[in-house]
Amino acid sequence: NFILLGRILEQASGQPLAALAREALFKPLGMHDSGYLPLQRMAPGRIAPTERLPGGAVLRGEVHDPTARKMGGVAGHAGLFTTTADLARFARMLLAGGLSEDGRRFLSPESIALLTTPQSPAGLAERRSLGWDMTSPFARPRGALYPATSFGHTGFTGCAFWLDPGSRSFYVLLSNRVHPAAGTNVLPLYAELGTLAAQAAGLAP
């Protein structure tokens, strides 16, 4: 679905997805380290390794997702490289109702509502907004204290991003369970960090 969404955005805007994301979101929001194809923008030493290939070489600055890699490293579902500081800027904009820290509007109140309230069919136990997980088997980053109205997302390589509109708090985890070797389990860490973040925001059982 997000591969298709990326293609729709390119068709509607007339721009490649990487350029559209940079000009419409990353640059105006001050997310200076975010974007696709990081080796075109910064020195390799600033980029965390992606994975160690079977021959021993280290993949750095290239997306781990094989489909996105075959699409040239730019896709609607994968390929973005970023930092915790940039994601914090993005989180604060969402929690401020679509407004940046300097008061510019990036998303309408109607868009924020779609992103932060359940949009799943009524009969499903799993609840998702448009683009975010809320309550599903993948919602471990919510931890034990964040309410069902909180939302976020995980990544295959071990990332988690969770936001709570009620307490206006969030946390970011950028980890890599596939480097130097695959098989590390970060799922318990998701839940633990979610609970600690909620406690730090003043939430109690």
Side-chain angles (χ1 to χ4, degrees), residues 52 77 123-124 130 137 144 147 149 154 171 193 196-197:
R52 188 175 297 278
H77 74 294
L124 289 181
L130 286 188
T149 51
T154 59
Y171 79 94
L193 286 176
L196 290 171

Side-chain angles (χ1 to χ4, degrees), residues 119-193:
Q119 303 297 319
S120 303
L124 289 181
E126 295 83 3
R127 302 197 316 162
R128 295 180 184 273
S129 66
L130 286 188
W132 301 100
D133 193 0
M134 299 187 80
T135 57
S136 83
F138 300 101
R140 284 178 183 255
R142 191 156 53 95
L145 298 178
Y146 273 137
T149 51
S150 62
F151 61 94
H153 214 289
T154 59
F156 179 82
T157 56
C159 303
F161 186 41
W162 207 262
L163 306 91
D164 176 40
S167 63
R168 296 191 69 175
S169 65
F170 65 91
Y171 79 94
V172 177
L173 171 67
L174 299 182
S175 67
N176 190 347
R177 68 180 184 86
V178 298
H179 180 79
T184 302
N185 184 2
V186 298
L187 295 181
L189 182 60
Y190 285 172
E192 183 177 353
L193 286 176

Side-chain angles (χ1 to χ4, degrees), residues 23 32 44 61 79 102 117 125 148 205:
E23 298 303 320
H32 300 301
D102 62 6
T117 59

